[in-house]
Amino acid sequence: MTLMISDLDDRHCPSVERMAIIAQVATLLGVVCSVIIGVSQRGGDFIMGTLSLLLYISFQCSDGTLSLSHKNMLKQIPSTIESALSRFNLTSKTVPYAVCNCHCTYRPIYTPGSSTPSYPAYCTNHPTPEKECKEALLNASPNGERRPKKTYTYHDFNDYLTNLLARRDIETLMDRPCDDLVESLSSPPPRFIKNPFDAQFLHTFNGPEPGKLFVDRGDEGRYAFALHVDFFNPEGMTQRGASTSSGIISMACLNLPLDVRYKPENMYLAGIIPGPKQPSLENLNHYIRPLITDLVASWERGVRYSTTANHPNGRVTRSAVALVVCDLPAARHLSALAGASSHFFCSACNCYHKSNYGRVDFEHWVLRDKDKLRCQAEQWRDAPTSAEREKLFKQYGIRYSELWRLPYWDPARQLMIDSMHCLLEGLVQHHMRNILGLTTETISTTRSTSSAFHYDFEPLDPERAASLSMTTKEAGQVSAIHTLLVAQVQCAENADQVAESLGKLQSSLLHKNMASLRYVCQSLCCVPEKRTRLYKIDYAKALVQWVGNRFIHVYCH
């Protein structure tokens, strides 16, 4: 079944084109004052009324009457700036959602023949599995109407796409990348990636039909989008930090060339998340749900437009989120993954525990499995209690996100950190400050001990640690023990100094938990000989012997 959209004729022939020339000029003057000069709505209404009055006076005959043509012309001139804007189709279709203090959103309900929205009186959301919100959603206005305490305005995605498809040049540009990619599939991959359609993801991204790529569009329009969510302080940044926070949800069409992709008229603003505080944890789901609903329908059923610039008889389109681009906090917030400062510090691979910061053995990095992540997120969503949810989050580092409603969502491949935050404020800053040491700090700062040699220790993943019943602290100490075993030692000129250095190593190892020492010994195949009972000192001595027999590397300072 295909979703049908049929009210598109006005996009190609705005009603202003059917007006008399003088009425067009008067209407245009009011629109320019509103859109370009920034006149308020009240000021715009005054301008439209004044123009009508001036034309009425100038059209009057000597006896004070008007000709029939002049009467018809004056009727065409809108009396309000809102009506003038509608003649140019500058306004978009919006949906005013009621918002509760728990951030749950409610779509309006319209009775037949009425344009007044109605909403539930009370919130029925469950912020936790055990508790229903039940807070009042509406306030009584002076005229007796009950209106939402807070609203969230959602701009209809299909209406936005309608505006793009009404422009012949834009529709041609949007169809070209899919066709070019299909033609180049048998050719070697490009040496340099110039646009998203050159990258591997869209080369392998399957569409809604089994066995067919998304870009294999046939007669349909296939459009890939980048989703962006960010929060900002509408009052400006101060030294005290942000005191209020609002957010935006926007998308850019990746089918468009870079030089036109991010022009305001081609960008999609789904909505502005109201402040004064940004939604916490999974509450962001309430604001992206309307957009995800439109995207799911577009993917599964397609959207048919009754006419477009290049297809007068209409066409079916399907749209998909190819990637999500945010800064690091917003990326974790939107995807409902644990924060970057948690033990689940990587959203792409299975690297676990903060003690593994700085690992460069990329050949051992394995992408997180999207099916497991989906299962874990749905487990969290369906958990009957808050305690169970917290337990699952600590175990897997994931909550439920509305993005999982998209059948193709794979955060390991589709969740990106934008280049400004990743490169300029992330990697480059780290390289300059921490690696090259180009800071204002004093040069007397003690440097951390370097490694004397490299050894491929067996990493400890979360599943292995859980099977050994190791605590988080014990799992973290494994990496610390690895660091001690490969650390540099002071120059040793005789056997006594060598023994002293190994004694310090043994003393440091004795400060670690026995479970951690036992795991490292087992992974290095240097478990002490069996006795009635093994103690921490036995494992420490075995590791010291492993270092002494194989890898003592002397550095003279």
Side-chain angles (χ1 to χ4, degrees):
M1 180 180 178
T2 301
L3 183 63
M4 178 70 179
I5 293 185
S6 58
D7 54 343
L8 306 186
D9 293 336
D10 287 344
R11 304 289 181 176
H12 303 278
C13 184
S15 58
V16 70
E17 295 184 7
R18 298 189 288 270
M19 296 167 59
I21 295 297
I22 293 180
Q24 288 185 13
V25 173
T27 306
L28 177 62
L29 179 60
V31 169
V32 169
C33 290
S34 175
V35 176
I36 299 179
I37 301 177
V39 174
S40 66
Q41 182 173 351
R42 181 177 295 180
D45 292 344
F46 174 76
I47 290 173
M48 296 309 301
T50 303
L51 287 172
S52 296
L53 178 61
L54 291 174
L55 289 173
Y56 175 82
I57 295 173
S58 63
F59 287 159
Q60 277 186 332
C61 300
S62 57
D63 59 355
T65 61
L66 296 175
S67 66
L68 182 61
S69 61
H70 287 160
K71 287 182 179 179
N72 291 334
M73 193 179 300
L74 289 173
K75 287 181 180 179
Q76 294 177 5
I77 300 176
S79 59
T80 64
I81 195 64
E82 183 179 1
S83 179
L85 291 170
S86 67
R87 304 292 174 89
F88 286 86
N89 292 329
L90 297 178
T91 56
S92 60
K93 180 182 177 182
T94 59
V95 182
Y97 283 76
V99 181
C100 179
N101 284 336
C102 69
H103 295 284
C104 187
T105 56
Y106 292 86
R107 188 181 181 90
I109 301 172
Y110 294 94
T111 57
S114 173
S115 60
T116 303
S118 60
Y119 303 91
Y122 298 94
C123 178
T124 57
N125 179 47
H126 285 76
T128 63
E130 304 91 345
K131 181 183 178 182
E132 184 177 357
C133 180
K134 296 183 179 180
E135 185 169 334
L137 295 173
L138 310 176
N139 280 332
S141 61
N143 60 3
E145 294 182 3
R146 298 186 64 81
R147 297 179 178 177
K149 294 180 178 180
K150 184 189 295 186
T151 58
Y152 164 67
T153 301
Y154 170 68
H155 296 81
D156 188 86
F157 172 73
N158 295 318
D159 185 72
Y160 152 79
L161 199 54
T162 297
N163 289 320
L164 291 185
L165 297 179
R167 297 152 62 190
R168 189 178 302 278
D169 57 334
I170 293 295
E171 185 177 13
T172 301
L173 291 173
M174 291 170 67
D175 286 338
R176 188 175 299 162
C178 291
D179 298 336
D180 292 345
L181 178 52
V182 171
E183 291 178 3
S184 66
L185 286 175
S186 58
S187 305
R191 184 178 179 185
F192 298 104
I193 304 299
K194 298 181 179 179
N195 66 73
F197 283 82
D198 291 339
Q200 182 187 14
F201 178 78
L202 285 172
H203 282 242
T204 59
F205 183 41
N206 290 320
E209 302 95 346
K212 291 184 65 176
L213 294 176
F214 178 74
V215 295
D216 188 4
R217 65 184 186 88
D219 294 330
E220 294 184 352
R222 296 289 179 90
Y223 309 126
F225 286 87
L227 173 62
H228 172 73
V229 174
D230 197 9
F231 290 89
F232 60 94
N233 183 0
E235 299 176 352
M237 297 303 295
T238 63
Q239 291 184 350
R240 297 178 301 165
S243 58
T244 61
S245 180
S246 297
I248 63 168
I249 303 172
S250 62
M251 292 207 299
C253 183
L254 300 177
N255 295 58
L256 292 174
L258 186 60
D259 59 336
V260 299
R261 183 183 307 157
Y262 297 106
K263 288 187 175 181
E265 62 267 27
N266 299 329
M267 291 283 292
Y268 168 59
L269 178 63
I272 298 179
I273 301 171
K277 301 295 182 182
Q278 70 181 67
S280 60
L281 303 179
E282 72 280 1
N283 289 325
L284 182 58
N285 285 332
H286 299 299
Y287 297 100
I288 67 169
R289 184 175 295 122
L291 172 59
I292 299 301
T293 298
D294 282 346
L295 291 171
V296 169
S298 177
W299 176 268
E300 295 179 347
R301 298 180 293 170
V303 179
R304 178 172 179 80
Y305 294 87
S306 60
T307 182
T308 69
N310 293 332
H311 297 79
N313 296 323
R315 71 185 308 195
V316 175
T317 69
R318 295 181 192 267
S319 302
V321 175
L323 68 156
V324 173
V325 185
C326 309
D327 62 18
L328 190 55
R332 299 303 178 88
H333 194 177
L334 178 61
S335 60
L337 293 170
S341 60
S342 71
H343 291 307
F344 297 91
F345 57 86
C346 183
S347 61
C349 70
N350 282 325
C351 290
Y352 172 76
H353 206 280
K354 289 186 284 188
S355 60
N356 285 313
Y357 280 173
R359 277 180 57 182
V360 294
D361 55 333
F362 59 88
E363 63 275 8
H364 294 131
W365 299 352
V366 180
L367 284 180
R368 302 178 78 171
D369 185 86
K370 69 172 184 178
D371 295 327
K372 285 186 178 180
L373 289 173
R374 181 182 296 275
C375 180
Q376 292 162 0
E378 290 174 350
Q379 277 185 270
W380 183 92
R381 178 196 64 191
D382 300 335
T385 64
S386 299
E388 181 67 18
R389 282 185 171 183
E390 186 63 24
K391 178 181 177 182
L392 290 169
F393 180 72
K394 287 183 177 180
Q395 183 176 357
Y396 301 123
I398 186 172
R399 297 181 178 91
Y400 184 76
S401 168
E402 281 287 306
L403 291 172
W404 287 112
R405 291 174 57 199
L406 300 172
Y408 50 83
W409 173 239
D410 184 357
R413 300 186 67 194
Q414 294 177 259
L415 186 63
M416 307 293 169
I417 308 303
D418 68 85
S419 56
M420 181 188 72
H421 291 91
C422 179
L423 299 179
L424 302 181
E425 295 187 355
L427 299 179
V428 172
Q429 181 179 192
H430 173 75
H431 190 84
M432 293 295 179
R433 291 179 178 274
N434 302 330
I435 297 179
L436 298 181
L438 302 180
T439 67
T440 56
E441 297 177 1
T442 61
I443 59 174
S444 61
T445 303
T446 304
R447 295 185 178 182
S448 59
T449 304
S450 303
S451 299
F453 60 91
H454 174 73
Y455 187 85
D456 290 326
F457 292 104
E458 180 182 344
L460 177 62
D461 57 67
E463 294 182 359
R464 175 65 174 160
S467 66
L468 296 175
S469 300
M470 296 178 68
T471 65
T472 302
K473 180 179 180 181
E474 291 170 341
Q477 287 185 356
V478 169
S479 179
I481 294 172
H482 292 163
T483 302
L484 288 173
L485 296 181
V486 298
Q488 293 181 8
V489 298
Q490 296 291 332
C491 179
E493 299 179 353
N494 52 54
D496 292 338
Q497 291 180 343
V498 171
E500 181 182 355
S501 297
L502 294 177
K504 291 180 178 179
L505 172 61
Q506 178 175 303
S507 177
S508 298
L509 292 172
L510 287 173
H511 287 87
K512 308 302 178 184
N513 288 4
M514 190 165 73
S516 308
L517 295 169
R518 180 169 57 244
Y519 172 80
V520 176
C521 284
Q522 291 172 347
S523 65
L524 296 176
C525 300
C526 63
V527 179
E529 296 182 1
K530 290 187 176 181
R531 297 169 32 184
T532 305
R533 183 178 179 183
L534 291 175
Y535 296 91
K536 188 188 295 187
I537 186 64
D538 300 314
Y539 292 108
K541 287 181 177 179
L543 292 174
V544 169
Q545 185 178 3
W546 179 84
V547 173
N549 290 345
R550 292 171 174 80
F551 299 109
I552 284 292
H553 193 97
V554 180
Y555 281 79
C556 294
H557 299 283

